[in-house]
């Protein structure tokens, strides 16, 4: 694929990714925020495909856009938030501070990118992104974080069931 086509495809994924990420933050309804997050996960999977990390792209769709978001939506729907619990009357000062902080962070990123200039791409191994390579690293070097994550997900599911059971 030529460099120009790759850049065009990058922006085709990047602009909706940023828009859907903003939709997560701006949405007043938790369900709408969760659906924007699903869209962001799909566009991020497209970015992984551009990086030739096809396994990560597939896992992004399967695990995050599929399983994790289903759990999020079940929790949101079971908790049944009303407008008072969502904080419709939020403080204006906190909103302004958040916008100012985001603008400052964005300016800092722009300055850092300009200072660094163009950087050459690092060479990766031939089997980068394959199931074998990821499995080897996951079950040798990162076994403890992998198991800790699985335990954390189990605890969150049990917590969601306990919270839902109290309301039913």
């Amino acid at each position: 694929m030529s460099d120009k086509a790759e850049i065009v495809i990058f922006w085709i994924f990047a602009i909706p990714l940023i828009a859907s990420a903003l939709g997560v933050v701006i949405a007043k309804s938790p369900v709408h925020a969760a659906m924007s997050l699903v869209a962001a996960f799909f566009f991020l999977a497209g970015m992984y495909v551009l990086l030739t990390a096809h396994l990560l792209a597939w896992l992004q769709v399967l695990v995050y856009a599929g399983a994790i978001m289903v759990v999020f939506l079940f929790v949101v729907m079971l908790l049944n938030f009303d407008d008072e619990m969502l904080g419709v009357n939020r403080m204006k000062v906190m909103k302004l501070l958040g916008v100012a902080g985001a603008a400052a962070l964005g300016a800092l990123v722009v300055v850092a990118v300009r200072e660094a200039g163009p950087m050459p791409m690092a060479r990766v191994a031939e089997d980068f992104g394959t199931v074998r390579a990821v499995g080897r690293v996951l079950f040798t070097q990162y076994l403890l974080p992998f198991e800790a994550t699985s335990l954390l997900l189990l605890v969150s599911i049990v917590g969601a069931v306990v919270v839902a059971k109290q309301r039913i």
Side-chain angles (χ1 to χ4, degrees):
M1 183 182 307
S2 72
D3 288 338
K4 193 168 198 153
E6 197 170 301
I7 290 171
V8 169
I9 294 172
F10 168 80
W11 285 109
I12 288 173
F13 285 124
I15 292 171
L17 175 62
I18 292 169
S20 59
L22 285 173
V24 172
V25 177
I26 294 172
K28 293 186 190 289
S29 166
V31 175
H32 292 142
M35 295 312 291
S36 291
L37 191 57
V38 169
F41 285 154
F42 276 106
F43 291 121
L44 186 60
M47 295 285 224
Y48 285 142
V49 169
L50 283 177
L51 293 171
T52 65
H54 298 100
L55 176 67
L56 287 179
W58 177 247
L59 289 175
Q60 178 76 25
V61 170
L62 187 71
V63 174
Y64 287 106
I68 301 297
M69 285 312 300
V70 168
V71 171
F72 281 0
L73 286 174
F74 278 138
V75 169
V76 165
M77 290 178 185
L78 284 172
L79 291 178
N80 195 15
F81 292 117
D82 56 353
D83 286 342
E84 292 174 6
M85 291 178 71
L86 290 176
V88 173
N89 299 324
R90 296 181 185 153
M91 294 186 294
K92 299 286 183 186
V93 175
M94 294 305 286
K95 285 184 181 180
L96 292 175
L97 287 174
V99 168
L105 181 64
L108 183 66
V109 168
V110 167
V111 168
V113 168
R114 283 190 182 161
E115 291 285 323
M119 297 171 59
M121 291 290 287
R123 287 271 183 220
V124 295
E126 187 67 32
D127 65 343
F128 174 78
T130 63
V131 177
R132 176 175 289 177
V134 172
R136 185 180 321 113
V137 172
L138 186 64
F139 292 119
T140 56
Q141 189 175 355
Y142 295 107
L143 182 62
L144 181 64
F146 178 74
E147 292 299 327
T149 303
S150 67
L151 183 65
L152 182 66
L153 288 172
L154 178 66
V155 168
S156 67
I157 291 170
V158 170
V161 169
V162 168
V163 169
K165 190 174 182 180
Q166 288 176 353
R167 293 186 146 243
I168 294 176

